[in-house]
Amino acid sequence: MATHDLDLSVAVESYDFEPSSGIPNSKLPTLVYRGGLDEPVRMAGAADTILKRNMWQGVWVWSIYPFWHFHTKGHEVLACVCGSARVGLGGDDGIETDINAGDVIVIPAGVGHKKLSATEDFSVVGAYPPGQEGDITKPEEIDFEEARKKAASVPLPDTDPIYGREGPLFQYWKGGAAEMGADAPAEHEEPAEGEEARDASDINEETRDTDKSGATSEK
């Protein structure tokens, strides 16, 4: 694990996982942004706005499945907006970590994850880069080599889901991308017409009153 301080309140934890019990995992590290959502935007509606403004899509609000699964068609961000949970990452040979409201997990395609326990009010906001999706894949339901190849072929995102074009995702995923033979994230690619990547601090004010309930709905 490596920790890099972004500012006085936010740190990034980076975890590398080898294949485990049919789970391919990834050459890209799984990232945990501790306190990645500032307190004013620890609400479902506000987090939704941040992710969409940073061009992550397919946004949903719910929990995390309580069984090992991974995605072969997309990288995933999980932003905790309410409650807390203990989450497994990387399969049986991986880690267990506690996440609380404000924490954000960026999960590369292929990395196993599941909810181990949680408070009754626990919920996360999830999303994926454009054109990607979170197919629910259990290790026992797919050939390992097929899963590995599919997950490794998923394109890297152009933006960090929380911090936009200047986020830590580029720093941490650049080395893994080179090892996979993939292109590094395009840090300075122009947004699509009518879209503009934004960071959390820019959106605090406009989303402060968006959703104060933190209510969830199943995807």
Side-chain angles (χ1 to χ4, degrees), residues 113-146:
H113 50 289
K114 73 173 181 177
K115 179 182 67 179
L116 300 171
S117 62
T119 58
E120 291 185 1
D121 59 345
F122 172 69
S123 65
V124 297
V125 179
Y128 314 91
Q132 299 183 19
E133 62 181 272
D135 57 315
I136 306 302
T137 306
K138 297 180 180 179
E140 66 270 18
E141 296 177 342
I142 189 171
D143 176 75
F144 174 80
E145 189 60 24
E146 178 186 358

Side-chain angles (χ1 to χ4, degrees), residues 19 77 89 113 119 148 198 211-212:
V77 61
L89 297 170
H113 50 289
T119 58
R148 185 193 66 78
R198 304 274 293 280
D211 182 352
K212 296 187 178 186

Side-chain angles (χ1 to χ4, degrees), residues 38-52:
D38 293 336
E39 191 168 353
V41 293
R42 292 177 187 176
M43 301 171 286
D48 178 297
T49 298
I50 292 170
L51 297 174
K52 288 179 178 177

Side-chain angles (χ1 to χ4, degrees), residues 137-214:
T137 306
K138 297 180 180 179
E140 66 270 18
E141 296 177 342
I142 189 171
D143 176 75
F144 174 80
E145 189 60 24
E146 178 186 358
R148 185 193 66 78
K149 289 181 178 180
K150 284 185 175 181
S153 69
V154 174
L156 300 181
D158 293 329
T159 57
D160 183 294
I162 303 299
Y163 299 98
R165 300 197 178 279
E166 303 300 326
L169 179 141
F170 305 109
Q171 173 188 346
Y172 285 92
W173 281 18
K174 184 177 181 180
E179 190 172 348
M180 294 167 66
D183 293 332
E187 296 183 54
H188 302 295
E189 182 178 329
E190 291 299 318
E193 184 176 355
E195 293 183 316
E196 180 181 0
R198 304 274 293 280
D199 65 31
S201 61
D202 292 334
I203 305 173
N204 282 0
E205 289 302 320
E206 66 187 71
T207 59
R208 190 181 300 275
D209 297 321
T210 303
D211 182 352
K212 296 187 178 186
S213 67

